[in-house]
Amino acid sequence: MAISKIGLALALLWVSMATLGAEGAYRYVMNKAGQARVLQMTVSASPDGWNLAIDGPGQGQEYRALLDKEWRTRGFELRIPGEGTALTARLGSGQVLVEGTLRGKAVKRETRLDNKRFYHYFTNQMRAFIVSDAKSIAFISLRPDSLEAMDFEAIKLERLNLTVAGKATPVWKVKISLAGLLSAFWSATVHYRARTHEPDSTDWL
């Protein structure tokens, strides 16, 4: 199977005019294969980080994740009743355990993280990276159709101004891709609002 067809649906998106500060409810548009879908995202504080909730149309997707203060995934629940998917994941002892049903089939899979960051719904988890001085980060995510672990990297390409609602907005142009030579087979470019004076002012488009 070609890497370009592995179905990384969680990241193949264009996020349009959405705002991601510290807490609140936000709306964004995911454009895949020329079809736009509006999703609702809610961010709330937890004692050790953040709670992330994403609800989508169509097959009734419900996604709930617990993130640490650096926006890394600590656990998640994913429900898509229309395709027979109900997954629960938790981290412990340097690994992530995912179990439940995936497209109607029972699954249980453990993945060692080897001290790498784990970002599951990674396009929505770049906030800490954007406000940092780092030019790139490496992380692990899971292939949606098999839960296979894959290495990714995010790179800040340039800082520029985009016009949003008639107003010039400073953004970081970020490339997110499979790591190493596999980047030739899959990558995406996302623009994140870049306001470095205060972390809570960092938004994404």
Side-chain angles (χ1 to χ4, degrees):
M1 178 184 295
I3 295 296
S4 60
K5 296 181 180 179
I6 63 177
L8 288 165
L10 295 179
L12 293 174
L13 52 80
W14 171 260
V15 182
S16 175
M17 298 179 66
T19 304
L20 180 56
E23 294 185 84
Y26 311 100
R27 189 171 71 103
Y28 68 93
V29 177
M30 182 173 74
N31 190 341
K32 181 185 178 186
Q35 296 186 353
R37 295 195 304 155
V38 177
L39 292 91
Q40 182 75 25
M41 179 170 66
T42 304
V43 180
S44 60
S46 72
D48 299 315
W50 305 97
N51 295 306
L52 176 67
I54 299 176
D55 297 296
Q59 295 177 317
Q61 173 180 314
E62 295 182 359
Y63 181 78
R64 304 290 182 266
L66 176 63
L67 313 178
D68 67 12
K69 293 181 180 180
E70 297 299 317
W71 286 69
R72 295 170 295 196
T73 306
R74 305 305 303 166
F76 70 83
E77 293 183 356
L78 174 63
R79 303 283 184 270
I80 311 178
E83 69 172 33
T85 292
L87 298 172
T88 300
R90 61 183 184 273
L91 272 71
S93 302
Q95 65 182 17
V96 57
L97 171 65
V98 184
E99 54 187 339
T101 57
L102 179 63
R103 298 181 180 178
K105 295 182 179 180
V107 294
K108 182 176 181 180
R109 185 154 190 158
E110 294 182 348
T111 298
R112 293 195 58 81
L113 299 178
D114 297 324
N115 295 318
K116 295 181 181 179
R117 299 174 180 86
F118 175 50
Y119 292 158
H120 183 237
Y121 216 139
F122 51 80
T123 310
N124 298 355
Q125 294 179 238
M126 293 288 113
R127 179 173 176 267
F129 169 52
I130 295 302
V131 302
S132 74
D133 294 328
K135 299 301 182 183
S136 65
I137 57 169
F139 60 93
I140 287 177
S141 194
L142 303 178
R143 179 170 161 166
D145 61 352
S146 67
L147 304 180
E148 176 187 357
M150 306 194 76
D151 289 305
F152 288 81
E153 61 183 353
I155 302 173
K156 293 175 182 172
L157 298 178
E158 60 178 325
R159 184 166 173 164
L160 45 83
N161 287 322
L162 292 182
T163 300
V164 179
K167 181 180 179 181
T169 303
V171 303
W172 274 108
K173 181 180 180 181
V174 176
K175 178 183 178 182
I176 304 176
S177 68
L178 291 167
L181 296 177
L182 292 180
S183 65
F185 297 95
W186 184 86
S187 67
T189 301
V190 184
H191 294 86
Y192 295 87
R193 288 182 182 159
R195 298 176 184 171
T196 59
H197 64 282
E198 181 182 9
D200 287 349
S201 295
T202 298
D203 309 326
W204 51 279
L205 294 175

